[in-house]
Amino acid sequence: MLEVKYYSAKEKTMNQFAGSWSYRSLLRDPDLSKEFNDLRFGAGTLNIQVDKTGEITGSLGGEGWSLNISGTVTEGEIKFQGKGVIGGEEWVYDYLGYMSPKWPNGIDEIPTIIGTIVRTVDHSNGQAKAGLVATWYAVQITSVKY
């Protein structure tokens, strides 16, 4: 027998974060003469699974790095920590993001998460210091349909 499952409005809102996303992060530098590529902090794929309680798991990674993520989703907001061992050292970053609102006159908008990231622990033999804050965004590749 086919089981039909109905999702509440809250579950649908929380699950808007579930799926695969193209992730990019940028250093914060107000100098407009700086080349755009010099602001690149990271790029990769963000995969998010959300359970019924709003707990998330997944991964974030790119060329030469990968983090396991865990955290929470509330209506319109996502918080997670990414952890991984890269080059024999632990990498830990904390993320906060918000679903970008849709424009009433927007055309072919793709869901996008916008947010901030902080390096939580030093890594790269102390060259990458804790406390660095960057900006990130993620554009949806695939979603989970409800």
Side-chain angles (χ1 to χ4, degrees):
M1 173 181 226
L2 179 64
E3 181 181 333
V4 177
K5 182 167 184 176
Y6 296 96
Y7 290 87
S8 69
K10 182 178 179 183
E11 285 175 312
K12 285 181 182 177
T13 300
M14 290 188 323
N15 285 315
Q16 68 184 328
F17 291 100
S20 294
W21 304 78
S22 290
Y23 166 90
R24 293 174 179 89
S25 55
L26 301 166
L27 296 171
R28 294 179 171 186
D29 188 330
D31 183 355
L32 289 174
S33 68
K34 187 157 282 191
E35 291 294 322
F36 194 78
N37 284 340
D38 292 339
L39 300 174
R40 180 183 171 140
F41 187 61
T45 302
L46 174 61
N47 293 299
I48 302 171
Q49 295 87 43
V50 182
D51 73 14
K52 291 174 81 172
T53 67
E55 295 293 316
I56 68 164
T57 56
S59 62
L60 171 59
E63 190 173 324
W65 63 280
S66 181
L67 305 175
N68 293 318
I69 66 167
S70 61
T72 58
V73 170
T74 57
E75 293 186 38
E77 178 183 276
I78 187 168
K79 292 180 184 178
F80 60 92
Q81 186 171 75
K83 291 183 176 183
V85 176
I86 300 156
E89 291 185 295
E90 183 179 43
W91 286 25
V92 181
Y93 288 84
D94 289 307
Y95 298 79
L96 173 62
Y98 300 93
M99 189 60 67
S100 178
K102 289 187 175 189
W103 285 94
N105 59 342
I107 298 171
D108 298 328
E109 286 187 82
I110 300 173
T112 302
I113 306 168
I114 52 177
T116 186
I117 174 180
V118 63
R119 184 181 294 133
T120 308
V121 299
D122 293 348
H123 65 75
S124 300
N125 296 316
Q127 298 297 314
K129 296 288 185 191
L132 176 82
V133 176
T135 299
W136 69 276
Y137 71 98
V139 179
Q140 192 172 59
I141 302 168
T142 63
S143 64
V144 176
K145 301 293 182 198
Y146 293 97

